[in-house]
Amino acid sequence: RRIEEGYGLGCDAIRALAEQGVTLIVTVDCGITGVEEVAYANSLGMDVVITDHHECREQTIPDAIAVIDPKQDDCRYPNKDLAGVGVALKLVCAVEGKNEPIVERYADLAAIGTVADVVPLTGENLYIVRRGLELLGNPSRPGLAALLRESGASEKKISSSTIGFSLAPRLNAAGRLGEVSVAGKLLMTHDTKEASTLAGE
């Protein structure tokens, strides 16, 4: 709950999660600099998996049970330009043991994150965005359908510009206004009425 309210992954939030019985934290697009936070989580008996795409340079890498960041010096993964959401998507594909069904299920969300992260739209990033745009052309998620309507983009051809100028700024605005849970609920709801209300917010 505290993370939903925008407190971030600080030691207070980690302690609150531990008190709720959480034993595993998986970060998305963050954590590569969280040496102190990971050490604290470890001290509470929690495991941390970091998925990130930010530069590691000469910093100390956190002592997590797994650190997945293609910009680590010893990482042999060929695509160093994946967005944070792309790294997380690759983790889900690896855990599930299959790529195509996972990409089909999450490409819409991954495309939004990829465009919002302003990474080069080449290679895998381009593939993710193309697949996501196909899904956004006929959105199955009520929240994304409602957000497209609310932004006036539902009757237009969906492109990366639609994401960059209509969808991503609206989703980011919720976090900047301290209401990140609104965006989270919007993306997760299965109810069209709730989706319309949340998109309006």
Side-chain angles (χ1 to χ4, degrees):
R1 177 164 169 75
R2 294 191 66 165
I3 289 175
E4 285 180 356
E5 290 173 354
Y7 286 87
L9 186 62
C11 291
D12 288 345
I14 292 169
R15 184 174 56 251
L17 290 171
E19 289 169 357
Q20 295 172 42
V22 172
T23 59
L24 173 66
I25 297 172
V26 179
T27 76
V28 177
D29 200 9
C30 67
I32 200 66
T33 61
V35 174
E36 177 186 329
E37 292 86 352
V38 172
Y40 183 64
N42 290 344
S43 76
L44 298 175
M46 302 172 84
D47 292 326
V48 179
V49 173
I50 293 171
T51 70
D52 206 335
H53 74 123
H54 292 103
E55 294 289 342
C56 304
R57 298 209 173 111
E58 298 173 9
Q59 72 190 47
T60 301
I61 301 298
D63 186 25
I65 60 168
V67 177
I68 307 160
D69 185 332
K71 291 191 177 159
Q72 292 180 90
D73 288 338
D74 60 348
C75 181
R76 293 176 297 174
Y77 194 73
N79 186 356
K80 305 296 183 188
D81 292 324
L82 274 175
V85 70
V87 177
L89 181 66
K90 299 297 282 189
L91 172 64
V92 174
C93 288
V95 168
E96 291 293 320
K98 45 194 164 189
N99 290 349
E100 200 55 35
I102 299 302
V103 171
E104 188 63 31
R105 184 171 177 188
Y106 297 112
D108 52 354
L109 299 175
I112 292 170
T114 298
V115 171
D117 232 348
V118 194
V119 295
L121 293 184
T122 58
E124 284 179 291
N125 291 335
L126 181 59
Y127 176 75
I128 289 167
V129 171
R130 280 186 176 156
R131 292 297 301 277
L133 290 173
E134 290 170 11
L135 296 176
L136 287 168
N138 185 21
S140 62
R141 296 179 202 281
L144 290 178
L147 195 59
L148 284 164
R149 281 192 305 276
E150 185 69 28
S151 68
S154 61
E155 301 301 318
K156 301 175 185 170
K157 183 175 192 263
I158 307 298
S159 67
S160 59
S161 294
T162 308
I163 294 172
F165 295 104
S166 295
L167 300 180
R170 285 173 168 81
L171 292 168
N172 283 336
R176 298 195 194 289
L177 296 171
E179 296 292 339
V180 71
S181 63
V182 171
K185 289 175 187 172
L186 176 70
L187 295 176
M188 292 186 287
T189 188
H190 297 287
D191 182 271
T192 54
K193 186 174 180 183
E194 180 185 33
S196 293
T197 300
L198 291 167
E201 286 184 46

